[in-house]
């Protein structure tokens, strides 16, 4: 039976609820197993690939195991102060019940201006700039160990977009100096969307965050489960994806956000009680491309020139990046190919295996193909 007053079942704005994820059962189980074993991990995948939703699901299941959890969003941090505020906010958002009351009591006893409400550390900074914020950060990072000492409760803490610690001088070292001693009390996960910066953060001998963190690359969605998910949601709302489903799966090739986006637009193009056809699919693609055009242009224009050329070559020729016909058409020299390709891979704009490479985002690929090689 279709749902009454059906609304579009494909969410494209905001964070996707963990219950609405497509598959990712194996990935959730793997991350949770690492947390239970106290093994740090580093989850790497392109932006909008579902990392945050996956982490939220793993943290939710860890809470059912009795762990205290926090998901610290470090995207765009610019100072030690902003890191403190993000950690404080992460605890404020996730802690509940008795563990929350215990943490609040610990923070009050420390008297460092951090709290789980009432303006917290931001209010402290507004009242007084004479705060030794480095010591506040170190004390706040000690919270999982103190909580364990008082309650015997283990914590599971995840730092999302952790590569942005590199934007703040000495921040990675400050974090490492504290959490490396917490194996008995806490499990740590790290997630990032820039493979190059993640390698620098975890593998550079000058500043490894936690060199023994297990790498965990996040791949695309399985197409069979994805197809079933889309079909069920169309059916539940009185529609049929019809002949629009196969081209959608082929086009999006398991990219989580693009799958939801194109399914959203295909659903909009399908009449209630009707079935999508090729025309509906074509209209869905044009709608998605029209909505995203400004963002796609901004992403492409933010790339260095040779990486722009490489992206154009990959989109328009869909061949090896070392194909002379392709790289000459966009003005690249053979000696520049590896650096341009490596730059795109480091930004997660390209996935590459051996001599095969493809743009990660199928919508960006289409936009560049429409643009041509000039």
């Amino acid at each position: 039976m279709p749902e009454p007053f059906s609304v579009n079942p494909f969410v494209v704005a905001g964070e996707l609820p963990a219950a609405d994820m497509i598959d990712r059962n194996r990935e959730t189980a793997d991350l949770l197993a690492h947390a239970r074993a106290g093994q740090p991990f580093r989850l790497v995948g392109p932006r909008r690939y579902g990392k945050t939703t996956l982490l939220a699901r793993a943290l939710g299941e860890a809470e059912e195991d009795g762990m205290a959890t926090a998901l610290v969003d470090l995207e765009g941090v610019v100072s030690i102060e902003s890191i403190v505020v993000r950690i404080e906010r992460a605890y404020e958002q996730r802690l509940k019940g008795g563990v929350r009351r215990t943490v609040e009591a610990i923070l009050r006893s420390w008297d460092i201006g951090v709290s789980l409400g009432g303006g917290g550390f931001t209010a402290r900074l507004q009242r007084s700039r004479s705060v030794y914020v480095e010591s506040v950060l170190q004390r706040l990072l000690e919270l999982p160990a103190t909580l364990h000492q008082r309650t015997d409760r283990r914590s599971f803490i995840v730092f999302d977009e952790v590569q942005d610690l590199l934007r703040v001088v000495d921040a990675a070292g400050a974090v490492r100096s504290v959490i490396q001693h917490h194996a008995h009390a806490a499990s740590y996960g790290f997630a990032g969307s820039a493979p190059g910066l993640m390698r620098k953060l975890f593998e550079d001998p000058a500043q490894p965050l936690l060199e023994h963190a297990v790498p965990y690359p996040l791949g695309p969605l399985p197409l069979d489960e994805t197809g079933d998910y889309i079909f069920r949601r169309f059916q539940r709302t009185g529609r049929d994806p019809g002949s629009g489903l196969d081209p959608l799966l082929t086009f999006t090739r398991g990219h989580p956000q693009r799958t939801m986006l194109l399914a959203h637009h295909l659903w909009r193009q399908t009449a209630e009680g009707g079935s999508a056809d090729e025309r509906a699919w074509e209209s869905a693609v044009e709608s998605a491309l029209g909505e995203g055009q400004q963002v796609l242009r901004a992403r492409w224009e933010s790339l260095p020139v040779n990486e722009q050329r490489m992206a154009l070559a990959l989109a328009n020729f869909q061949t090896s990046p070392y194909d002379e016909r392709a790289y000459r058409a966009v003005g690249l020299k053979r000696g520049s190919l590896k650096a341009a390709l490596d730059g795109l891979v480091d930004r997660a704009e390209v996935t590459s295996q051996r001599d095969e490479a493809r743009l990660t985002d199928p919508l960006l690929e289409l936009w560049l193909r429409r643009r041509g090689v000039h």
Side-chain angles (χ1 to χ4, degrees), residues 45-95:
R47 290 188 186 277
R48 315 204 77 181
Y49 230 58
K51 293 187 300 301
T52 302
T53 302
L54 170 61
L55 292 167
R57 179 176 171 185
L59 288 164
E61 295 191 17
E63 287 174 357
E64 294 176 6
D65 282 358
M67 295 187 198
T69 67
L71 178 57
V72 184
D73 178 8
L74 294 173
E75 183 176 8
V77 291
V78 295
S79 65
I80 297 294
E81 287 88 345
S82 61
I83 296 171
V84 169
V85 170
R86 299 296 182 85
I87 297 173
E88 175 191 60
R89 188 178 301 161
Y91 281 115
E92 194 277 331
Q93 290 173 343
R94 293 200 68 90
L95 296 183

Side-chain angles (χ1 to χ4, degrees), residues 8 10-12 259-269:
N8 197 316
F10 301 101
V11 178
V12 295
T259 296
M260 295 294 279
L261 178 67
L262 270 298
H264 175 92
H265 284 286
L266 183 64
W267 188 92
R268 288 183 60 191
Q269 297 295 331

Side-chain angles (χ1 to χ4, degrees), residues 32-43:
L32 194 56
H34 287 319
R36 288 168 175 160
Q39 173 63 60
F41 64 82
R42 46 183 162 125
L43 177 70

Side-chain angles (χ1 to χ4, degrees), residues 10 46 60 76 81 87 119-120 128 131 141 191 194 290 328 372:
F10 301 101
E81 287 88 345
I87 297 173
S128 172
V131 177
L141 290 167
R328 284 189 178 276

Side-chain angles (χ1 to χ4, degrees), residues 50-262:
K51 293 187 300 301
T52 302
T53 302
L54 170 61
L55 292 167
R57 179 176 171 185
L59 288 164
E61 295 191 17
E63 287 174 357
E64 294 176 6
D65 282 358
M67 295 187 198
T69 67
L71 178 57
V72 184
D73 178 8
L74 294 173
E75 183 176 8
V77 291
V78 295
S79 65
I80 297 294
E81 287 88 345
S82 61
I83 296 171
V84 169
V85 170
R86 299 296 182 85
I87 297 173
E88 175 191 60
R89 188 178 301 161
Y91 281 115
E92 194 277 331
Q93 290 173 343
R94 293 200 68 90
L95 296 183
K96 301 177 181 67
V99 67
R100 184 185 182 96
R101 290 190 293 273
T102 301
V103 167
E104 288 175 331
I106 292 170
L107 294 175
R108 281 195 300 271
S109 70
W110 285 349
D111 192 25
I112 57 175
V114 175
S115 66
L116 303 187
F121 193 67
T122 300
R124 171 71 175 268
L125 289 173
Q126 290 171 346
R127 291 193 302 270
S128 172
R129 301 302 300 181
S130 60
V131 177
Y132 188 48
V133 69
E134 288 80 5
S135 66
V136 175
L137 174 62
Q138 289 194 339
R139 201 67 184 272
L140 189 53
L141 290 167
E142 284 286 2
L143 184 55
T146 304
L147 179 64
H148 183 267
Q149 184 180 30
R150 293 198 183 183
T151 66
D152 205 34
R153 185 188 294 268
R154 189 172 190 83
S155 295
F156 179 22
I157 312 299
V158 178
F159 294 94
D160 198 8
E161 298 300 345
V162 68
Q163 75 277 338
D164 282 5
L165 283 177
L166 293 170
R167 295 157 56 99
V168 183
V169 175
D170 296 332
V175 173
R176 179 183 66 248
S177 67
V178 177
I179 68 174
Q180 65 184 343
H181 303 296
H182 288 176
H184 67 291
S187 301
Y188 288 95
F190 308 91
S193 55
L197 292 177
M198 289 290 282
R199 283 195 298 274
K200 180 177 181 181
L201 192 59
F202 286 90
E203 299 174 17
D204 185 342
Q207 53 176 8
L209 184 57
L210 279 179
E211 57 188 354
H212 56 290
V214 174
Y216 197 96
L218 186 61
L221 295 170
L223 296 188
D224 49 354
E225 284 90 344
T226 302
D228 289 345
Y229 175 95
I230 293 170
F231 181 81
R232 289 195 304 270
R233 293 207 155 205
F234 265 80
Q235 290 283 296
R236 197 180 74 194
T237 53
R239 291 166 172 77
D240 190 325
S243 57
L245 181 58
D246 283 345
L248 186 156
L249 295 173
T250 300
F251 177 81
T252 57
R253 51 182 188 268
H255 188 295
Q257 195 278 336
R258 293 319 193 198
T259 296
M260 295 294 279
L261 178 67
L262 270 298

